[in-house]
Amino acid sequence: MVNYKKGKMKNLKFIFVLFVISISCKKESKTIEETPIPTDKVPIVMMHGVLAAGDTYEQQFLRFTSNGYDPRVVYVFDWNSIGLGANNEVLLDKFIDDILEKTGQTQVNLVGHSAGGGLGYGYCDNASRAAKIAHYVHIGSGGITKPAGPNATPIPTMVIWSDGDKVASSGNVEGCTNVELIDKDHYQVATSQEAFKEMYKFFNNNNEPSTLEIAGDEIIKLSGRVISFGENQAGASAKVNIYELDPNTGFRKQTNPDASFVADNKGNWGDFTAKPLTYYEFEAIPKNPTERTIHYYREPFKKSDKIVYLRIFPPKGSIAEGILSGLPKDDEQSVNAFFGANQAIVSGRDVFIANGDTLSKPKFAQDTYTTIAMFLYDNNKNGASDLNSFGAFANSAFLKFVDFYVPATTPQTNTFYLNGRVLKSRNWPSKTNGVSVIVFD
């Protein structure tokens, strides 16, 4: 005979257990934004140099978060490093005030690289602003003869420089914690593991970080900003499409995007849940249909990242727009750009190959050039790669324009190689589909 009362009690117990498990899971699934911001770490604000943006510090952000920093206390400040008339110290002051209000803290640790060092050092001259700075780090930047801050109340200051930096170098400064790196170029002096280690120790009572590597996450959340090249204006209402790629071809695995976002009025987009060890294309489509689409090809992500930046073409008439105005709109050819997010290409030190042609040659990659970006297209439209440097940046720093032909009449795979790492992309017709940017982290 079946005991229905006993069976009913068992069912009620089972339902109660499910309820407890459900409540527990809901607690565990609470997002980081719903939890209080920890107060055990002083917030960090990092500032980029000329023509750069906050993603200069993408790897350092990931290293800090791999060492116990909550993502909500690590910030980058985007500023217009080439514009005229911008009161960047006022904007920086508001940015810091917003962080202090958000985190409930009274001070931040401030970091400035290159021209960002000039901005940061000047900001600290004002006594009321200096009171908001716990430590200041001056990286690959000159113009400093004493610690930051007013003479009466100097701020603990670290100076990081490298003998391999051919752009700017302060050397040792009396009264500061001085760090000389060896053979690091102008970007590596800010982005390297060695720089991270010294900053971490400086901010944490000389304690060593637990790791210099970027720790992997089980769930990878990606977000970032759409901004204009050079001037960092927000790409409000730009559309961001994300496609998973075939790693062997660089082609999209499917026609429809895996995710789509519309950037807010500050250019922010996200969150996207990425698969580990997976290659993605990020397609940035400006709100204005007359402006060009940019396709970004990235290396696989290991860790959640809120500093995934997608640059679009700068506004008409701007200084930055003049730099890129010569990029062709021609469906007979593909326009591609290399971007070294954390280092320059230096001839003799690095090997960079595009579709079988070695481009890490002295005429493109002298150490004095500090070549971070290389634009590749058939400048004279002769249907051949003449492999010469042209334009105003032929003998200057940071940018190179190389006569490099990639046909676009039929789909093909572009293969880019940097120091043992490989990225592949599709040869998009440049008039119809815009420009491709190959990002090596």
Side-chain angles (χ1 to χ4, degrees), residues 35 118 247 288:
T35 61
N288 186 338

Side-chain angles (χ1 to χ4, degrees), residues 153-263:
T153 54
I155 298 167
T157 300
M158 171 176 278
V159 178
I160 303 178
W161 61 286
S162 171
D163 63 343
D165 184 347
K166 304 302 181 181
V167 176
S169 184
S170 63
N172 291 335
V173 178
E174 186 177 353
C176 299
T177 301
N178 295 290
V179 176
E180 180 184 3
L181 304 182
I182 305 301
D183 287 337
K184 301 300 180 187
D185 65 49
H186 185 60
Y187 274 73
Q188 289 175 316
V189 74
T191 64
S192 64
Q193 290 182 341
E194 292 87 342
F196 167 75
K197 178 180 177 180
E198 297 301 334
M199 285 192 289
Y200 183 93
K201 289 167 58 180
F202 191 53
F203 297 156
N204 292 280
N205 300 313
N206 210 36
N207 291 319
E208 298 269 346
S210 60
T211 181
L212 299 181
E213 303 296 330
I214 294 170
D217 284 339
E218 290 185 11
I219 300 175
I220 302 171
K221 295 286 188 180
L222 304 179
S223 59
R225 295 190 71 202
V226 180
I227 56 173
S228 64
F229 168 75
E231 296 170 350
N232 299 330
Q233 294 188 21
S237 300
K239 188 173 183 179
V240 176
N241 293 324
I242 303 175
Y243 298 87
E244 183 178 343
L245 301 178
D246 180 338
N248 296 313
T249 64
F251 286 15
R252 298 169 180 174
K253 282 194 169 182
Q254 58 186 28
T255 303
N256 295 325
D258 294 78
S260 293
F261 303 92
V262 175

Side-chain angles (χ1 to χ4, degrees), residues 121 124-125 143-151 154-155 157 159 173-176:
Y121 193 70
C124 293
D125 275 346
I144 175 172
T145 58
K146 65 179 184 61
N151 289 330
I155 298 167
T157 300
V159 178
V173 178
E174 186 177 353
C176 299

Side-chain angles (χ1 to χ4, degrees), residues 359-404:
L359 300 183
S360 48
K361 297 178 178 179
K363 61 181 175 180
F364 307 130
Q366 292 180 30
D367 57 358
T368 55
Y369 289 162
T370 312
T371 304
I372 301 300
M374 196 177 286
F375 293 88
L376 310 175
Y377 58 90
D378 185 15
N379 182 54
N380 57 15
K381 298 186 178 181
N382 66 349
S385 295
D386 296 333
L387 299 184
N388 55 41
S389 184
F390 59 89
F393 289 85
N395 296 302
S396 62
F398 305 139
L399 308 179
K400 286 290 170 287
F401 292 80
V402 179
D403 191 287
F404 189 89

Side-chain angles (χ1 to χ4, degrees), residues 297-407:
Y297 292 84
R298 298 284 306 247
E299 296 180 274
F301 294 84
K302 293 174 57 179
K303 188 172 184 62
S304 292
D305 188 346
K306 70 175 186 180
I307 313 179
V308 182
Y309 277 32
L310 308 174
R311 290 166 178 79
I312 56 177
F313 272 74
K316 299 291 185 182
S318 66
I319 295 173
E321 193 268 338
I323 294 173
L324 301 182
S325 60
L327 297 187
K329 297 180 179 180
D330 175 7
D331 279 350
E332 296 293 314
Q333 67 166 304
S334 178
V335 174
N336 300 275
F338 156 83
F339 175 48
N342 294 288
Q343 68 159 90
I345 301 174
V346 177
S347 179
R349 185 192 72 177
D350 303 302
V351 177
F352 176 56
I353 301 172
N355 289 350
D357 286 314
T358 299
L359 300 183
S360 48
K361 297 178 178 179
K363 61 181 175 180
F364 307 130
Q366 292 180 30
D367 57 358
T368 55
Y369 289 162
T370 312
T371 304
I372 301 300
M374 196 177 286
F375 293 88
L376 310 175
Y377 58 90
D378 185 15
N379 182 54
N380 57 15
K381 298 186 178 181
N382 66 349
S385 295
D386 296 333
L387 299 184
N388 55 41
S389 184
F390 59 89
F393 289 85
N395 296 302
S396 62
F398 305 139
L399 308 179
K400 286 290 170 287
F401 292 80
V402 179
D403 191 287
F404 189 89
Y405 176 57
V406 177

Side-chain angles (χ1 to χ4, degrees), residues 8 30 33-34 97 112 136 156 158-159 182 215 219 248 261 264 274-275 292 295 313 368-369 378 418 421 423-424 436:
K8 185 176 181 180
K30 185 179 287 187
E33 289 78 12
E34 296 172 313
D97 283 345
Y136 173 65
M158 171 176 278
V159 178
I182 305 301
I219 300 175
N248 296 313
F261 303 92
D264 66 16
K275 300 176 184 177
R292 305 178 74 175
H295 307 263
F313 272 74
T368 55
Y369 289 162
D378 185 15
L418 176 65
R421 294 140 61 195
L423 278 172
K424 296 186 177 184
S436 296

